[in-house]
Amino acid sequence: MDKEKLKQIIIDQADELDTRTIPNLCHRKEEDLVDLHSQLAQVVIGVRRCGKSTLCKNVLQKAAVKFGYVNYDDERLVELKTEELDDILMTLYQIHGDLDYFFFDEIQNINHWELFINRLLRQGKHLLITGSNSKLLSQDLATHLTGRHSKIELLPFSFAEFCNYNKVATTPLTTKNRGLLARCFDQYIAQGGLPELLHEKNSLGYVNSLYESIITQDIKRRFNVKNIEGLRLLSQHLLNISPAIINKPNLRKLFEMKSPITMDNYLSYLTQAYLILPIKKFSNKSSIRTQSEKIYAIDVAMMNKRENALAGNNLGWRLETIVYLELRRRIKYTNEDIYYYAVQKSECDFVTTSGNSVTGIYQVSYDISNAKTRKREISGCVSAANATNCNNVWLITNSHSETIEANGIKIQCIPAYEWLTNCKQ
């Protein structure tokens, strides 16, 4: 690539980053996980447009350090070759002078990028990297950086961040604040937590564009998928039925796939691109944990804000998805794992574990005013509690609050807006 052209691209990108303004910018908790003084590459991963670049920019600006920035998700750099990464580096030094900090956006778009990063680390540089592909980054980092990286997963806005953005107080829980929180949660469960969607009027157009970018940029281009329409139909179906336990033989029959490898690959691509998120079944047997899997959408907006969406009106599915995403955020700080619980005639949505110990049981039901529904949800809590010897049991609803005693098990029934804004629960 012509070096003058490359210089202009990098100057344009730096100017775009500097002038990018986000209304009501709020602090993301994951910012505290970034260590700019570390000799490890700080790798922020997550779905497209979840706020990775903004998070990195905030961290660097708060630290008041001079840094070089390149966004590799730029059509002008699409043909950039591995050997031209040195030209990028030289251009950054030409523009900024000596640098110790570098911020590379979506660098996985360049072949053998990890070798370039490894060289900078050996030189003692401090690196912030973003990517929209979890497994590819993890594999390459583990193989070529030999543990010299810290991975930070970023999801769309949590409900607490959604409240912060909308300037809704989460404490104290006065009557007024409860009402405002409940109102805010009605918006969150309908809209989801994609940051840019908070100030976009055309939500359908925005989510469709994001979905297509994930399919065409993060999957088709990266994995060279030939039957992209088949992948698109599968992804639409999974988003329409999520949350759902995956039955691969049925999916293969439905989409007329002869090879089980193709189905495994497609599911892997959708997971790697953060369009769907998998969760294993809880069991003391490793074989069961490995074989049984349930999937969730990356955000409830993907369940109702895209074309051909069918899951939008099921508030129970949406609430369950929100709770799963929140648990996934929380376990980053507690080194726990999440599973779903299911035995014959009894189910519980989530159990969290630390090693061999179950630390929490979480059942989700939008409305338990119906006697049959109430009995079923309580039964699932009791079954999971008895099977795991765990007494930290929660029943998360839209608005109901109660302490329930059942078969010697104490169940804390709590409104979602309260549980989601209290990280100690």
Side-chain angles (χ1 to χ4, degrees):
M1 176 178 288
D2 179 78
K3 292 183 180 180
E4 283 302 313
K5 181 180 179 181
L6 183 59
K7 180 181 177 181
Q8 188 59 53
I9 292 171
I10 292 176
I11 290 173
D12 289 346
Q13 289 184 352
D15 182 64
E16 180 185 348
L17 186 70
D18 287 339
T19 57
R20 187 184 302 169
T21 57
I22 306 296
N24 301 340
L25 185 65
C26 68
H27 169 73
R28 304 295 297 270
K29 191 176 180 181
E30 287 79 5
E31 290 177 21
D32 300 330
L33 298 177
V34 178
D35 183 1
L36 285 182
H37 302 294
S38 174
Q39 294 302 310
L40 306 179
Q42 306 294 293
V43 184
V44 183
I45 61 174
V47 70
R48 278 178 175 262
R49 303 182 197 171
C50 69
K52 300 185 297 294
S53 301
T54 301
L55 180 147
C56 293
K57 175 186 174 183
N58 288 348
V59 170
L60 289 162
Q61 287 188 335
K62 287 177 182 177
V65 296
K66 184 171 68 170
F67 64 94
Y69 170 71
V70 182
N71 180 6
Y72 293 93
D73 195 29
D74 187 318
E75 77 281 359
R76 296 170 295 180
L77 299 178
V78 71
E79 300 297 332
L80 192 72
K81 297 179 175 59
T82 305
E83 56 267 25
E84 292 177 299
L85 287 172
D86 264 350
D87 293 338
I88 291 272
L89 193 59
M90 186 181 72
T91 304
L92 288 171
Y93 285 129
Q94 181 184 1
I95 294 171
H96 300 287
D98 196 13
L99 291 169
D100 289 320
Y101 297 87
F102 294 90
F103 170 20
F104 297 131
D105 237 341
E106 304 292 349
I107 194 173
Q108 78 285 344
N109 289 335
I110 307 299
N111 290 331
H112 305 302
W113 62 269
E114 67 282 353
L115 301 177
F116 173 67
I117 294 299
N118 200 28
R119 177 152 54 91
L120 291 178
L121 288 175
R122 291 197 302 269
Q123 295 172 5
K125 303 302 181 182
H126 302 284
L127 307 180
L128 258 176
I129 304 168
T130 76
S132 299
N133 186 290
S134 63
K135 191 171 183 180
L136 178 64
L137 279 170
S138 298
Q139 287 177 339
D140 289 342
L141 289 168
T143 301
H144 299 287
L145 300 189
T146 59
R148 297 186 65 193
H149 69 281
S150 175
K151 186 171 71 173
I152 301 158
E153 181 183 75
L154 187 67
L155 299 175
F157 274 169
S158 68
F159 178 59
E161 290 166 339
F162 188 87
C163 291
N164 186 1
Y165 179 92
N166 288 290
K167 302 188 183 306
V168 175
T170 58
T171 58
L173 290 177
T174 61
T175 300
K176 176 183 177 180
N177 283 350
R178 283 181 179 275
L180 293 176
L181 278 171
R183 183 175 186 272
C184 193
F185 185 70
D186 288 342
Q187 298 170 348
Y188 183 72
I189 198 172
Q191 179 174 317
L194 294 171
E196 293 178 352
L197 199 55
L198 290 164
H199 51 87
E200 286 289 338
K201 293 182 179 180
N202 182 8
S203 58
L204 180 63
Y206 176 85
V207 175
N208 280 333
S209 172
L210 173 58
Y211 170 80
E212 280 301 315
S213 294
I214 293 171
I215 295 295
T216 58
Q217 300 298 315
D218 294 333
I219 298 179
K220 180 183 178 180
R221 188 174 75 180
R222 193 165 301 159
F223 299 109
N224 195 27
V225 177
K226 295 180 180 179
N227 184 13
I228 194 63
E229 188 57 32
L231 176 70
R232 184 179 282 108
L233 289 173
L234 174 64
S235 66
Q236 292 275 9
H237 175 69
L238 293 177
L239 290 171
N240 283 339
I241 66 171
S242 68
I245 295 173
I246 294 298
N247 187 314
K248 292 181 182 180
N250 285 353
L251 286 176
R252 284 176 52 207
K253 183 178 180 180
L254 179 63
F255 291 97
E256 300 180 345
M257 293 184 187
K258 295 181 179 180
S259 171
I261 296 176
T262 300
M263 177 59 68
D264 288 341
N265 286 341
Y266 281 9
L267 291 173
S268 176
Y269 299 158
L270 295 171
T271 300
Q272 290 180 53
Y274 276 96
L275 191 59
I276 61 172
L277 300 175
I279 179 174
K280 300 293 187 180
K281 182 178 180 179
F282 176 79
S283 174
N284 292 322
K285 296 181 179 180
S286 178
S287 59
I288 295 179
R289 291 192 186 194
T290 301
Q291 294 175 5
S292 302
E293 193 168 71
K294 191 173 184 178
I295 56 101
Y296 288 85
I298 183 60
D299 188 80
V300 295
M302 285 292 176
M303 300 170 71
N304 77 320
K305 297 291 184 181
R306 32 167 265 281
E307 291 179 354
N308 302 315
L310 300 176
N313 293 328
N314 194 313
L315 295 173
W317 289 359
R318 299 168 71 77
L319 179 57
E320 184 181 333
T321 300
I322 287 169
V323 170
Y324 168 69
L325 293 172
E326 181 62 21
L327 286 171
R328 184 166 174 135
R329 291 185 190 94
R330 294 182 183 186
I331 64 171
K332 289 182 293 191
Y333 304 93
T334 58
N335 295 316
E336 293 176 292
D337 294 304
I338 316 171
Y339 300 92
Y340 74 93
Y341 175 87
V343 295
Q344 190 174 13
K345 297 183 180 180
S346 185
E347 295 182 1
C348 185
D349 291 309
F350 309 108
V351 297
T352 55
T353 65
S354 178
N356 292 326
S357 300
V358 173
T359 56
I361 292 170
Y362 302 88
Q363 186 77 302
V364 184
S365 182
Y366 187 84
D367 183 4
I368 61 169
S369 60
N370 179 277
K372 185 178 180 180
T373 301
R374 179 185 175 94
K375 181 180 179 181
R376 182 186 66 241
E377 305 299 351
I378 292 174
S379 176
C381 289
V382 171
S383 174
N386 286 334
T388 61
N389 295 316
C390 179
N391 58 10
N392 182 30
V393 186
W394 298 87
L395 175 52
I396 302 167
T397 69
N398 180 56
S399 59
H400 189 70
S401 180
E402 179 187 0
T403 299
I404 301 171
E405 295 277 355
N407 298 92
I409 303 299
K410 184 178 180 181
I411 304 169
Q412 296 292 339
C413 184
I414 188 171
Y417 63 78
E418 184 177 340
W419 180 80
L420 289 165
T421 53
N422 189 336
C423 63
K424 295 180 181 180
Q425 295 171 335

